[in-house]
Amino acid sequence: LNSTMFSLVNAYLFRPLNIPGAERLVVIGNTSPLMQEPHEVPYRDLQAYRELGNVFENLTGTVSYTESFDKGDRTERIWVEHTLGNYFTALRPPMALGRTYTDESSARAEGVMVVSYDFWSRRLGGDSSIVGRTLRISGSPRTVIGVTARGFHGFAPMLRSDGWSPMDESPAARRQLMSDADGDWFNTYGILRSGVSLAQARAAVHDRARQLQQQYPSTNKNVEPVVVPETRARPVITVASPVPLMAVVVLSLTLMVL
């Protein structure tokens, strides 16, 4: 039992993800006097941090939604991550079929979708001709363009994502996103450039945050960023601390059982 529980805790909380550069993957959150625990990042801040090209190879964001999947005779609820268009080019998860979407897909507000291996095999019958098929998601058509490899479930806290779609970042939508500080907040992930330390990344992000404080005092006053290794932000950025909260809970329960 001890070894089984340790394996589960290690796999869920500490083992790096199966993506290139996982050891350099970090999570960015914000804190403020009103919300002192680290939390997700508004679109405007995310785009500002994304400008730090000398620090990050790439930086992206995602928001999870529950959506309806219309199968004709019935409707099912599924979890879909709405992401920046660069999600797959930034994180490069392995693929089983097809292709992924890009920044251009978001800029054109394309109605496309990448589905998870589990969703494909369990709910779509593992059909190898699924690429190019249109599914009806939340009342609108969405074309399947790819299937992720087995074992990749995305980054949605405590969830196994069924699919991913690019958010609408067309010019008009982007203007609205940049001006709406009360809109969606994004789980934000970045891959550090080779040779850039965590301390250097933190300093650069803090400097950019100070600029945001001056640019947008009504929304960003006293907002401070947090940058931690991805394994320190599981299952959510809120638990970023020397020992993730979930590990403490699981290990405590184990000791109680034993």
Side-chain angles (χ1 to χ4, degrees):
L1 181 59
N2 275 332
S3 60
T4 300
M5 291 301 297
F6 175 78
S7 297
L8 289 172
V9 171
N10 181 61
Y12 188 73
L13 292 171
F14 303 115
R15 183 181 299 163
L17 295 164
N18 182 28
I19 60 172
E23 72 283 355
R24 293 181 282 121
L25 181 64
V26 298
V27 178
I28 301 177
N30 277 349
T31 65
S32 68
L34 292 178
M35 297 185 66
Q36 296 182 14
E37 297 296 331
H39 53 79
E40 297 82 2
V41 175
Y43 183 85
R44 187 170 60 197
D45 294 16
L46 167 56
Q47 291 298 335
Y49 298 151
R50 194 178 172 187
E51 294 169 1
L52 301 173
N54 61 328
V55 175
F56 300 104
E57 285 185 3
N58 221 325
L59 191 143
T60 191
T62 174
V63 180
S64 293
Y65 290 92
T66 177
E67 299 203 69
S68 60
F69 170 38
D70 185 357
K71 297 192 69 174
D73 58 337
R74 66 184 187 278
T75 299
E76 300 179 13
R77 304 302 292 176
I78 63 174
W79 285 102
V80 179
E81 291 188 54
H82 288 226
T83 77
L84 269 62
N86 71 334
Y87 179 90
F88 285 98
T89 53
L91 302 174
R92 295 177 290 162
M95 297 291 292
L97 291 173
R99 64 177 179 87
T100 61
Y101 50 79
T102 63
D103 274 328
E104 288 72 25
S105 304
S106 276
R108 292 193 293 262
E110 293 179 357
V112 297
M113 184 177 187
V114 173
V115 298
S116 73
Y117 187 96
D118 286 353
F119 180 80
W120 170 67
S121 59
R122 288 186 293 102
R123 302 190 187 182
L124 301 176
D127 184 356
S128 60
S129 64
I130 189 64
V131 174
R133 185 188 301 179
T134 298
L135 306 180
R136 195 156 189 83
I137 307 294
S138 296
S140 300
R142 219 168 291 179
T143 302
V144 177
I145 60 173
V147 179
T148 59
R150 184 196 299 267
F152 181 77
H153 305 290
F155 295 89
M158 306 297 288
L159 302 173
R160 287 174 174 256
S161 296
D162 296 305
W164 299 262
S165 285
M167 60 182 293
D168 183 357
E169 292 184 277
S170 59
R174 183 180 170 87
R175 285 194 295 272
Q176 178 63 31
L177 288 164
M178 291 294 288
S179 63
D180 185 7
D182 296 322
D184 285 328
W185 288 4
F186 292 78
N187 294 295
T188 302
Y189 303 90
I191 300 281
L192 297 180
R193 287 198 175 278
S194 180
V196 174
S197 69
L198 185 62
Q200 290 172 322
R202 285 170 171 162
V205 172
H206 274 272
D207 285 345
R208 190 66 183 92
R210 292 190 190 97
Q211 295 172 4
L212 291 171
Q213 292 171 5
Q214 296 173 357
Q215 287 178 273
Y216 309 105
S218 62
T219 57
N220 286 67
K221 182 180 180 180
N222 298 321
V223 170
E224 296 289 344
V226 173
V227 184
V228 297
E230 185 273 330
T231 52
R232 285 266 308 280
R234 299 181 190 176
V236 290
I237 182 66
T238 304
V239 302
S241 62
V243 179
L245 176 62
M246 185 61 71
V248 174
V249 172
V250 172
L251 292 174
S252 298
L253 290 174
T254 302
L255 290 174
M256 290 174 64
V257 170
L258 296 178

